[in-house]
Amino acid sequence: MSRRGRPKSISLALQGGGAHGAFTWGVVDRLLEEEGLVISGISGTSAGAMNAVVLASGLAKGGVDEARAALSHFWRDVSRDGHMSPLQRTAFDRLLGTWSLAKNPAYLAMDVASRFLSPYDFNPLNINPLRDILIAHVDFEAIRASDVKVFVSATNVRTGRARIFGHEEMSAEAVMASACLPQLFQAVEIDGVPYWDGGYMGNPPLFPLYEQTEADDIVLVQINPILREETPRTAAEIQNRINEITFNASLLAQLRAIDHASQLIEQGLLTRWTLGGSSFRRVRLHRVGGAEQLADLDLSSKLNPEWAFLQHLRDVGRAAADDFLTAHYDDIGRRSTLDLRLELADD
């Protein structure tokens, strides 16, 4: 699909969220169809990091068509690998049409075991099939040689700080570090430093796009709802909400910093300049979110690899991206469509 006018350069910031990352797959698939959009940078965390490198590898090797095919093949193999997993929906859940794994005996056993056993106990060989899938689908050398800049975040276990792996150091280890949930996998060590999931400190990282790419428009693909109207009451609901708050905290902190810098620019108190390697400039923020579409999915569904579920999320993501483009394509390159002051309001 194409629209008249000059191409518009954008950067993508892709949140993590396990299997819910298939929603992001759908969003990106639809954006890639839009011939008027050019992707100049991508950042991601966890599943968002995997989407980021699969996308970047495809673009580097064969352009838009290759990127779309690469994402589809990657998620198909994720589903195939999980087909033999004991983490499957029960017959009752299938009958009701829900995607939850919360009633699955294996999920319940894993949930209990994770409170007493660490990955060093139940997975001493540190087996993670996702790494093999990632290596099979991603040409990291092509990414490093590409003009599309890619950044993924991980959490330094020792310092508790975010580590941003930049374009030149992109590797399978960096992506696996970004996706390393400490309850399920041993810390990923890179140059002797242990890393956990980047969602704790940067989900997704915005500042590399803000500082190191030329595109003035950042499209955030958000799959973890910020707002919940109802107070969670069950144990599962409480855990799910804690997870959402934890993995959105770093995003909100980055949005506050960008909003503050934007206000200073608007007031004429800050011009485009560089201090300590950080470039301050006006950026336009946009969001394709899955808050409404994903709000009813519980925490357990993030571990659901069922192909029908991943396809469902892809289709929901495509629809969300299509709605965004219909409403805001003309705004790209002109103004922000994400109202930070409303987003960061205290109540």
Tab-separated table of all heavy atoms in Angstrom, residues 136-193:
chain	number	residue	atom	x	y	z
A	136	ALA	N	19.059	-19.359	13.806
A	136	ALA	CA	18.626	-19.871	12.506
A	136	ALA	C	17.969	-18.796	11.649
A	136	ALA	O	18.002	-18.877	10.416
A	136	ALA	CB	17.657	-21.045	12.704
A	137	HIS	N	17.390	-17.793	12.286
A	137	HIS	CA	16.604	-16.804	11.544
A	137	HIS	C	17.259	-15.435	11.412
A	137	HIS	O	16.763	-14.602	10.648
A	137	HIS	CB	15.234	-16.626	12.213
A	137	HIS	CG	14.309	-17.771	11.992
A	137	HIS	ND1	13.485	-17.879	10.893
A	137	HIS	CD2	14.086	-18.895	12.732
A	137	HIS	CE1	12.801	-19.007	10.964
A	137	HIS	NE2	13.141	-19.644	12.066
A	138	VAL	N	18.333	-15.190	12.124
A	138	VAL	CA	18.900	-13.840	12.150
A	138	VAL	C	20.353	-13.856	11.687
A	138	VAL	O	21.174	-14.630	12.192
A	138	VAL	CB	18.817	-13.226	13.565
A	138	VAL	CG1	19.457	-11.837	13.579
A	138	VAL	CG2	17.362	-13.149	14.019
A	139	ASP	N	20.661	-12.978	10.745
A	139	ASP	CA	22.033	-12.780	10.272
A	139	ASP	C	22.576	-11.542	10.993
A	139	ASP	O	22.342	-10.407	10.554
A	139	ASP	CB	22.041	-12.578	8.757
A	139	ASP	CG	23.450	-12.506	8.180
A	139	ASP	OD1	24.381	-12.147	8.933
A	139	ASP	OD2	23.611	-12.782	6.971
A	140	PHE	N	23.272	-11.767	12.097
A	140	PHE	CA	23.739	-10.647	12.906
A	140	PHE	C	24.826	-9.844	12.190
A	140	PHE	O	24.935	-8.627	12.386
A	140	PHE	CB	24.227	-11.144	14.267
A	140	PHE	CG	23.114	-11.551	15.181
A	140	PHE	CD1	22.732	-12.882	15.298
A	140	PHE	CD2	22.422	-10.600	15.910
A	140	PHE	CE1	21.690	-13.250	16.122
A	140	PHE	CE2	21.373	-10.955	16.736
A	140	PHE	CZ	21.005	-12.292	16.858
A	141	GLU	N	25.608	-10.501	11.358
A	141	GLU	CA	26.618	-9.772	10.595
A	141	GLU	C	25.952	-8.791	9.635
A	141	GLU	O	26.410	-7.652	9.465
A	141	GLU	CB	27.505	-10.754	9.834
A	141	GLU	CG	28.643	-10.081	9.088
A	141	GLU	CD	29.583	-11.081	8.423
A	141	GLU	OE1	29.508	-12.275	8.771
A	141	GLU	OE2	30.385	-10.651	7.573
A	142	ALA	N	24.850	-9.222	9.012
A	142	ALA	CA	24.114	-8.344	8.103
A	142	ALA	C	23.529	-7.160	8.858
A	142	ALA	O	23.497	-6.036	8.349
A	142	ALA	CB	23.006	-9.128	7.398
A	143	ILE	N	23.059	-7.397	10.082
A	143	ILE	CA	22.517	-6.302	10.891
A	143	ILE	C	23.602	-5.280	11.189
A	143	ILE	O	23.398	-4.067	11.042
A	143	ILE	CB	21.928	-6.844	12.211
A	143	ILE	CG1	20.665	-7.665	11.944
A	143	ILE	CG2	21.605	-5.688	13.170
A	143	ILE	CD1	20.082	-8.299	13.189
A	144	ARG	N	24.768	-5.752	11.608
A	144	ARG	CA	25.855	-4.846	11.967
A	144	ARG	C	26.336	-4.028	10.768
A	144	ARG	O	26.841	-2.914	10.926
A	144	ARG	CB	27.010	-5.624	12.590
A	144	ARG	CG	26.675	-6.241	13.955
A	144	ARG	CD	27.911	-6.798	14.638
A	144	ARG	NE	28.464	-7.938	13.931
A	144	ARG	CZ	28.146	-9.209	14.169
A	144	ARG	NH1	27.250	-9.491	15.110
A	144	ARG	NH2	28.719	-10.201	13.489
A	145	ALA	N	26.159	-4.568	9.558
A	145	ALA	CA	26.582	-3.861	8.347
A	145	ALA	C	25.472	-2.991	7.763
A	145	ALA	O	25.706	-2.251	6.803
A	145	ALA	CB	27.039	-4.872	7.291
A	146	SER	N	24.290	-3.057	8.354
A	146	SER	CA	23.126	-2.359	7.818
A	146	SER	C	23.079	-0.903	8.264
A	146	SER	O	23.667	-0.511	9.278
A	146	SER	CB	21.856	-3.076	8.279
A	146	SER	OG	20.703	-2.320	7.981
A	147	ASP	N	22.342	-0.100	7.496
A	147	ASP	CA	22.125	1.303	7.860
A	147	ASP	C	21.019	1.461	8.900
A	147	ASP	O	20.887	2.528	9.498
A	147	ASP	CB	21.761	2.123	6.617
A	147	ASP	CG	22.924	2.250	5.641
A	147	ASP	OD1	24.079	2.197	6.111
A	147	ASP	OD2	22.678	2.387	4.430
A	148	VAL	N	20.201	0.433	9.081
A	148	VAL	CA	19.132	0.484	10.080
A	148	VAL	C	19.747	0.168	11.444
A	148	VAL	O	20.202	-0.943	11.686
A	148	VAL	CB	18.012	-0.522	9.757
A	148	VAL	CG1	16.924	-0.468	10.833
A	148	VAL	CG2	17.421	-0.233	8.385
A	149	LYS	N	19.739	1.148	12.333
A	149	LYS	CA	20.375	0.971	13.635
A	149	LYS	C	19.456	0.204	14.580
A	149	LYS	O	18.261	0.476	14.654
A	149	LYS	CB	20.730	2.329	14.232
A	149	LYS	CG	21.783	3.073	13.427
A	149	LYS	CD	22.180	4.370	14.096
A	149	LYS	CE	23.272	5.071	13.301
A	149	LYS	NZ	23.668	6.352	13.939
A	150	VAL	N	20.040	-0.748	15.306
A	150	VAL	CA	19.277	-1.612	16.203
A	150	VAL	C	19.882	-1.534	17.606
A	150	VAL	O	21.100	-1.550	17.770
A	150	VAL	CB	19.291	-3.082	15.717
A	150	VAL	CG1	18.416	-3.944	16.620
A	150	VAL	CG2	18.820	-3.172	14.278
A	151	PHE	N	18.992	-1.464	18.613
A	151	PHE	CA	19.420	-1.396	20.006
A	151	PHE	C	18.529	-2.322	20.832
A	151	PHE	O	17.311	-2.329	20.653
A	151	PHE	CB	19.285	0.035	20.555
A	151	PHE	CG	19.910	1.085	19.684
A	151	PHE	CD1	19.166	1.706	18.687
A	151	PHE	CD2	21.237	1.454	19.853
A	151	PHE	CE1	19.737	2.677	17.877
A	151	PHE	CE2	21.812	2.426	19.055
A	151	PHE	CZ	21.063	3.041	18.062
A	152	VAL	N	19.140	-3.095	21.725
A	152	VAL	CA	18.343	-3.910	22.643
A	152	VAL	C	18.848	-3.665	24.065
A	152	VAL	O	20.020	-3.359	24.275
A	152	VAL	CB	18.416	-5.418	22.296
A	152	VAL	CG1	17.970	-5.664	20.859
A	152	VAL	CG2	19.803	-5.979	22.518
A	153	SER	N	17.944	-3.802	25.014
A	153	SER	CA	18.308	-3.528	26.406
A	153	SER	C	18.293	-4.806	27.226
A	153	SER	O	17.504	-5.720	26.984
A	153	SER	CB	17.341	-2.515	27.028
A	153	SER	OG	16.051	-3.077	27.158
A	154	ALA	N	19.193	-4.849	28.207
A	154	ALA	CA	19.233	-5.923	29.199
A	154	ALA	C	19.503	-5.270	30.550
A	154	ALA	O	19.867	-4.089	30.626
A	154	ALA	CB	20.315	-6.945	28.857
A	155	THR	N	19.314	-6.029	31.616
A	155	THR	CA	19.534	-5.509	32.964
A	155	THR	C	20.780	-6.139	33.555
A	155	THR	O	20.873	-7.369	33.651
A	155	THR	CB	18.325	-5.803	33.867
A	155	THR	OG1	17.152	-5.207	33.309
A	155	THR	CG2	18.553	-5.251	35.267
A	156	ASN	N	21.744	-5.308	33.930
A	156	ASN	CA	22.961	-5.778	34.579
A	156	ASN	C	22.590	-6.288	35.967
A	156	ASN	O	22.112	-5.534	36.811
A	156	ASN	CB	23.973	-4.627	34.677
A	156	ASN	CG	25.318	-5.054	35.238
A	156	ASN	OD1	25.394	-5.783	36.223
A	156	ASN	ND2	26.392	-4.580	34.635
A	157	VAL	N	22.775	-7.582	36.205
A	157	VAL	CA	22.357	-8.189	37.463
A	157	VAL	C	23.112	-7.583	38.646
A	157	VAL	O	22.546	-7.392	39.729
A	157	VAL	CB	22.565	-9.720	37.417
A	157	VAL	CG1	22.189	-10.363	38.750
A	157	VAL	CG2	21.747	-10.333	36.282
A	158	ARG	N	24.372	-7.263	38.451
A	158	ARG	CA	25.193	-6.776	39.551
A	158	ARG	C	24.869	-5.337	39.933
A	158	ARG	O	24.797	-4.997	41.109
A	158	ARG	CB	26.671	-6.899	39.182
A	158	ARG	CG	27.132	-8.348	39.052
A	158	ARG	CD	28.550	-8.440	38.520
A	158	ARG	NE	28.974	-9.832	38.373
A	158	ARG	CZ	30.038	-10.216	37.704
A	158	ARG	NH1	30.800	-9.315	37.086
A	158	ARG	NH2	30.359	-11.505	37.620
A	159	THR	N	24.664	-4.484	38.927
A	159	THR	CA	24.438	-3.065	39.222
A	159	THR	C	22.975	-2.677	39.233
A	159	THR	O	22.613	-1.633	39.783
A	159	THR	CB	25.164	-2.183	38.186
A	159	THR	OG1	24.551	-2.379	36.898
A	159	THR	CG2	26.644	-2.529	38.112
A	160	GLY	N	22.130	-3.506	38.612
A	160	GLY	CA	20.715	-3.160	38.501
A	160	GLY	C	20.446	-2.087	37.466
A	160	GLY	O	19.330	-1.558	37.392
A	161	ARG	N	21.432	-1.780	36.640
A	161	ARG	CA	21.285	-0.731	35.633
A	161	ARG	C	21.002	-1.327	34.262
A	161	ARG	O	21.317	-2.478	33.992
A	161	ARG	CB	22.556	0.123	35.572
A	161	ARG	CG	22.858	0.872	36.853
A	161	ARG	CD	24.198	1.566	36.753
A	161	ARG	NE	24.548	2.257	38.001
A	161	ARG	CZ	25.726	2.800	38.252
A	161	ARG	NH1	26.690	2.734	37.336
A	161	ARG	NH2	25.953	3.400	39.409
A	162	ALA	N	20.424	-0.498	33.406
A	162	ALA	CA	20.167	-0.928	32.040
A	162	ALA	C	21.463	-0.954	31.249
A	162	ALA	O	22.303	-0.071	31.396
A	162	ALA	CB	19.172	0.017	31.373
A	163	ARG	N	21.609	-1.954	30.425
A	163	ARG	CA	22.724	-2.011	29.478
A	163	ARG	C	22.117	-2.017	28.085
A	163	ARG	O	21.308	-2.892	27.748
A	163	ARG	CB	23.558	-3.279	29.707
A	163	ARG	CG	24.501	-3.625	28.554
A	163	ARG	CD	25.643	-2.641	28.403
A	163	ARG	NE	26.370	-2.847	27.144
A	163	ARG	CZ	27.342	-3.731	26.957
A	163	ARG	NH1	27.699	-4.553	27.956
A	163	ARG	NH2	27.955	-3.810	25.796
A	164	ILE	N	22.485	-1.015	27.302
A	164	ILE	CA	22.006	-0.941	25.932
A	164	ILE	C	23.075	-1.516	25.017
A	164	ILE	O	24.208	-1.027	24.980
A	164	ILE	CB	21.700	0.509	25.515
A	164	ILE	CG1	20.719	1.159	26.509
A	164	ILE	CG2	21.137	0.548	24.097
A	164	ILE	CD1	19.387	0.470	26.607
A	165	PHE	N	22.721	-2.578	24.313
A	165	PHE	CA	23.625	-3.156	23.325
A	165	PHE	C	23.359	-2.449	22.000
A	165	PHE	O	22.247	-2.504	21.465
A	165	PHE	CB	23.402	-4.658	23.191
A	165	PHE	CG	23.839	-5.428	24.403
A	165	PHE	CD1	22.935	-5.721	25.418
A	165	PHE	CD2	25.150	-5.837	24.542
A	165	PHE	CE1	23.327	-6.420	26.544
A	165	PHE	CE2	25.563	-6.542	25.666
A	165	PHE	CZ	24.655	-6.827	26.671
A	166	GLY	N	24.384	-1.756	21.528
A	166	GLY	CA	24.232	-0.955	20.326
A	166	GLY	C	24.413	-1.745	19.054
A	166	GLY	O	24.684	-2.949	19.048
A	167	HIS	N	24.269	-1.028	17.964
A	167	HIS	CA	24.259	-1.611	16.634
A	167	HIS	C	25.501	-2.468	16.361
A	167	HIS	O	25.393	-3.604	15.872
A	167	HIS	CB	24.175	-0.467	15.622
A	167	HIS	CG	23.943	-0.904	14.220
A	167	HIS	ND1	22.742	-1.428	13.791
A	167	HIS	CD2	24.759	-0.904	13.132
A	167	HIS	CE1	22.825	-1.727	12.509
A	167	HIS	NE2	24.041	-1.419	12.086
A	168	GLU	N	26.673	-1.950	16.705
A	168	GLU	CA	27.914	-2.638	16.358
A	168	GLU	C	28.152	-3.889	17.198
A	168	GLU	O	28.961	-4.741	16.824
A	168	GLU	CB	29.115	-1.691	16.516
A	168	GLU	CG	29.116	-0.508	15.559
A	168	GLU	CD	28.149	0.593	15.980
A	168	GLU	OE1	27.634	0.519	17.127
A	168	GLU	OE2	27.893	1.500	15.175
A	169	GLU	N	27.487	-4.008	18.341
A	169	GLU	CA	27.703	-5.153	19.222
A	169	GLU	C	26.511	-6.102	19.252
A	169	GLU	O	26.381	-6.927	20.149
A	169	GLU	CB	28.029	-4.662	20.637
A	169	GLU	CG	27.072	-3.630	21.170
A	169	GLU	CD	27.553	-2.993	22.474
A	169	GLU	OE1	28.567	-3.457	23.035
A	169	GLU	OE2	26.906	-2.040	22.922
A	170	MET	N	25.654	-6.001	18.238
A	170	MET	CA	24.466	-6.846	18.196
A	170	MET	C	24.868	-8.303	17.999
A	170	MET	O	25.658	-8.642	17.130
A	170	MET	CB	23.547	-6.379	17.070
A	170	MET	CG	22.101	-6.835	17.213
A	170	MET	SD	21.366	-6.408	18.796
A	170	MET	CE	21.721	-4.642	18.886
A	171	SER	N	24.281	-9.183	18.826
A	171	SER	CA	24.613	-10.605	18.779
A	171	SER	C	23.480	-11.412	19.369
A	171	SER	O	22.577	-10.862	20.021
A	171	SER	CB	25.897	-10.878	19.584
A	171	SER	OG	25.673	-10.614	20.964
A	172	ALA	N	23.536	-12.730	19.155
A	172	ALA	CA	22.522	-13.605	19.748
A	172	ALA	C	22.573	-13.524	21.267
A	172	ALA	O	21.530	-13.556	21.931
A	172	ALA	CB	22.744	-15.039	19.281
A	173	GLU	N	23.771	-13.408	21.835
A	173	GLU	CA	23.904	-13.327	23.295
A	173	GLU	C	23.231	-12.070	23.838
A	173	GLU	O	22.585	-12.111	24.889
A	173	GLU	CB	25.388	-13.339	23.690
A	173	GLU	CG	26.075	-14.687	23.522
A	173	GLU	CD	26.310	-15.055	22.055
A	173	GLU	OE1	26.334	-14.122	21.204
A	173	GLU	OE2	26.440	-16.257	21.763
A	174	ALA	N	23.372	-10.954	23.130
A	174	ALA	CA	22.739	-9.704	23.570
A	174	ALA	C	21.223	-9.828	23.581
A	174	ALA	O	20.550	-9.383	24.515
A	174	ALA	CB	23.175	-8.542	22.672
A	175	VAL	N	20.679	-10.459	22.545
A	175	VAL	CA	19.221	-10.622	22.470
A	175	VAL	C	18.733	-11.595	23.538
A	175	VAL	O	17.702	-11.363	24.183
A	175	VAL	CB	18.804	-11.093	21.063
A	175	VAL	CG1	17.291	-11.301	20.999
A	175	VAL	CG2	19.240	-10.074	20.015
A	176	MET	N	19.463	-12.688	23.753
A	176	MET	CA	19.067	-13.641	24.782
A	176	MET	C	19.173	-13.023	26.175
A	176	MET	O	18.371	-13.330	27.058
A	176	MET	CB	19.927	-14.904	24.696
A	176	MET	CG	19.738	-15.702	23.410
A	176	MET	SD	18.017	-16.060	22.997
A	176	MET	CE	17.535	-17.045	24.417
A	177	ALA	N	20.143	-12.138	26.376
A	177	ALA	CA	20.226	-11.421	27.648
A	177	ALA	C	19.002	-10.547	27.833
A	177	ALA	O	18.426	-10.473	28.925
A	177	ALA	CB	21.500	-10.577	27.686
A	178	SER	N	18.576	-9.890	26.768
A	178	SER	CA	17.410	-9.014	26.828
A	178	SER	C	16.140	-9.784	27.166
A	178	SER	O	15.204	-9.224	27.739
A	178	SER	CB	17.229	-8.304	25.484
A	178	SER	OG	16.124	-7.431	25.510
A	179	ALA	N	16.114	-11.079	26.827
A	179	ALA	CA	14.914	-11.900	27.019
A	179	ALA	C	15.051	-12.894	28.165
A	179	ALA	O	14.261	-13.841	28.259
A	179	ALA	CB	14.598	-12.648	25.728
A	180	CYS	N	16.016	-12.683	29.047
A	180	CYS	CA	16.306	-13.665	30.096
A	180	CYS	C	15.470	-13.418	31.354
A	180	CYS	O	15.858	-12.647	32.236
A	180	CYS	CB	17.795	-13.624	30.445
A	180	CYS	SG	18.249	-14.801	31.733
A	181	LEU	N	14.327	-14.076	31.428
A	181	LEU	CA	13.508	-14.002	32.641
A	181	LEU	C	14.195	-14.812	33.744
A	181	LEU	O	14.419	-16.018	33.578
A	181	LEU	CB	12.107	-14.554	32.384
A	181	LEU	CG	11.181	-13.645	31.572
A	181	LEU	CD1	9.907	-14.392	31.205
A	181	LEU	CD2	10.852	-12.378	32.347
A	182	PRO	N	14.536	-14.189	34.855
A	182	PRO	CA	15.356	-14.870	35.865
A	182	PRO	C	14.675	-16.043	36.548
A	182	PRO	O	15.342	-16.897	37.121
A	182	PRO	CB	15.678	-13.759	36.870
A	182	PRO	CG	14.624	-12.727	36.663
A	182	PRO	CD	14.276	-12.786	35.212
A	183	GLN	N	13.331	-16.099	36.485
A	183	GLN	CA	12.633	-17.240	37.076
A	183	GLN	C	12.731	-18.484	36.193
A	183	GLN	O	12.513	-19.604	36.662
A	183	GLN	CB	11.150	-16.910	37.302
A	183	GLN	CG	10.900	-15.741	38.224
A	183	GLN	CD	10.848	-14.422	37.475
A	183	GLN	OE1	11.254	-14.348	36.315
A	183	GLN	NE2	10.347	-13.391	38.139
A	184	LEU	N	13.038	-18.276	34.898
A	184	LEU	CA	13.023	-19.383	33.945
A	184	LEU	C	14.400	-19.747	33.401
A	184	LEU	O	14.628	-20.908	33.039
A	184	LEU	CB	12.101	-19.042	32.764
A	184	LEU	CG	10.632	-18.784	33.085
A	184	LEU	CD1	9.875	-18.448	31.805
A	184	LEU	CD2	10.001	-19.983	33.775
A	185	PHE	N	15.302	-18.767	33.318
A	185	PHE	CA	16.585	-19.018	32.672
A	185	PHE	C	17.737	-18.489	33.515
A	185	PHE	O	17.599	-17.501	34.236
A	185	PHE	CB	16.632	-18.353	31.287
A	185	PHE	CG	15.508	-18.763	30.384
A	185	PHE	CD1	14.510	-17.870	30.047
A	185	PHE	CD2	15.448	-20.059	29.880
A	185	PHE	CE1	13.467	-18.245	29.227
A	185	PHE	CE2	14.405	-20.446	29.049
A	185	PHE	CZ	13.407	-19.537	28.720
A	186	GLN	N	18.875	-19.153	33.402
A	186	GLN	CA	20.081	-18.667	34.052
A	186	GLN	C	20.500	-17.342	33.413
A	186	GLN	O	20.260	-17.099	32.226
A	186	GLN	CB	21.203	-19.685	33.901
A	186	GLN	CG	20.945	-21.015	34.587
A	186	GLN	CD	22.100	-21.989	34.412
A	186	GLN	OE1	23.231	-21.582	34.177
A	186	GLN	NE2	21.806	-23.286	34.522
A	187	ALA	N	21.124	-16.486	34.208
A	187	ALA	CA	21.597	-15.208	33.689
A	187	ALA	C	22.523	-15.427	32.503
A	187	ALA	O	23.314	-16.374	32.480
A	187	ALA	CB	22.319	-14.428	34.789
A	188	VAL	N	22.399	-14.556	31.507
A	188	VAL	CA	23.259	-14.632	30.328
A	188	VAL	C	24.516	-13.807	30.594
A	188	VAL	O	24.428	-12.609	30.888
A	188	VAL	CB	22.529	-14.095	29.086
A	188	VAL	CG1	23.475	-14.072	27.884
A	188	VAL	CG2	21.312	-14.952	28.783
A	189	GLU	N	25.660	-14.446	30.516
A	189	GLU	CA	26.916	-13.743	30.784
A	189	GLU	C	27.576	-13.288	29.487
A	189	GLU	O	27.744	-14.072	28.551
A	189	GLU	CB	27.877	-14.639	31.569
A	189	GLU	CG	27.431	-14.877	33.002
A	189	GLU	CD	28.573	-15.315	33.900
A	189	GLU	OE1	29.732	-15.349	33.425
A	189	GLU	OE2	28.308	-15.608	35.080
A	190	ILE	N	27.904	-12.011	29.453
A	190	ILE	CA	28.602	-11.420	28.308
A	190	ILE	C	29.824	-10.693	28.858
A	190	ILE	O	29.688	-9.782	29.695
A	190	ILE	CB	27.695	-10.445	27.541
A	190	ILE	CG1	26.457	-11.184	27.008
A	190	ILE	CG2	28.457	-9.773	26.398
A	190	ILE	CD1	25.457	-10.296	26.310
A	191	ASP	N	30.999	-11.115	28.434
A	191	ASP	CA	32.261	-10.563	28.943
A	191	ASP	C	32.324	-10.638	30.471
A	191	ASP	O	32.793	-9.708	31.141
A	191	ASP	CB	32.441	-9.111	28.486
A	191	ASP	CG	32.561	-8.992	26.977
A	191	ASP	OD1	33.080	-9.947	26.356
A	191	ASP	OD2	32.137	-7.964	26.425
A	192	GLY	N	31.800	-11.758	31.021
A	192	GLY	CA	31.867	-11.980	32.452
A	192	GLY	C	30.812	-11.264	33.271
A	192	GLY	O	30.801	-11.383	34.502
A	193	VAL	N	29.912	-10.536	32.613
A	193	VAL	CA	28.870	-9.791	33.323
A	193	VAL	C	27.523	-10.497	33.129
A	193	VAL	O	27.138	-10.790	31.990
A	193	VAL	CB	28.774	-8.342	32.808
A	193	VAL	CG1	27.664	-7.579	33.541
A	193	VAL	CG2	30.107	-7.631	32.968
